[in-house]
Amino acid sequence: VSTQSTGAETLAKYRLDDTGDKKEEAKMSLEEAIRIIQVHERARQGCLRAKFMREIRAQEEREKMLSLQGASTMDPDVASTIIQKVWKGYSQRNKTLKLRDEELV
């Protein structure tokens, strides 16, 4: 037989009846009261710990997503060089197309 009672059983044991008068109740021992408080406090702390861990995991996921998206970590000089290369290539292709068209005419 289990020595732990459920919360519903404990509430039923010490609850008022419908008329507001106390039912006959068994007195709760100090040890039982301490045990109930400890169980509930451990449950409360467990819920807080779980919430904290969820927040940590969510923060790590956000950081991972930001790093995968490529936050701007490129050196400005390197970025400007890449832009210049792309523009010069585009510009030269257009000039070459115009020269070809002029030769054919």
Side-chain angles (χ1 to χ4, degrees):
V1 177
S2 175
T3 59
Q4 290 184 337
S5 61
T6 64
E9 292 170 353
T10 304
L11 286 175
K13 193 186 294 186
Y14 299 102
R15 184 178 294 164
L16 299 174
D17 64 9
D18 292 339
T19 62
D21 297 329
K22 283 189 174 182
K23 294 180 181 179
E24 287 184 32
E25 63 182 52
K27 295 291 180 186
M28 183 183 296
S29 68
L30 181 61
E31 291 80 19
E32 186 179 3
I34 291 171
R35 185 180 52 76
I36 290 171
I37 291 170
Q38 286 176 338
V39 166
H40 288 283
E41 178 62 16
R42 287 181 186 136
R44 184 189 71 81
Q45 288 177 0
C47 288
L48 288 175
R49 189 176 313 109
K51 180 181 177 188
F52 181 66
M53 294 305 292
R54 275 193 303 271
E55 290 173 358
I56 288 174
R57 277 193 291 275
Q59 178 65 28
E60 288 173 350
E61 282 294 318
R62 282 191 294 272
E63 290 172 359
K64 183 178 178 183
M65 293 303 290
L66 284 175
S67 69
L68 291 177
Q69 289 177 354
S72 65
T73 57
M74 186 179 287
D75 182 35
D77 291 332
V78 174
S80 64
T81 303
I82 292 172
I83 292 170
Q84 288 173 4
K85 284 181 184 179
V86 170
W87 174 253
K88 286 180 181 179
Y90 172 78
S91 176
Q92 188 59 46
R93 281 190 301 275
N94 282 339
K95 286 180 186 177
T96 304
L97 286 174
K98 285 182 185 178
L99 288 174
R100 258 193 227 151
D101 288 343
E102 288 175 5
E103 285 180 5
L104 294 175
V105 173

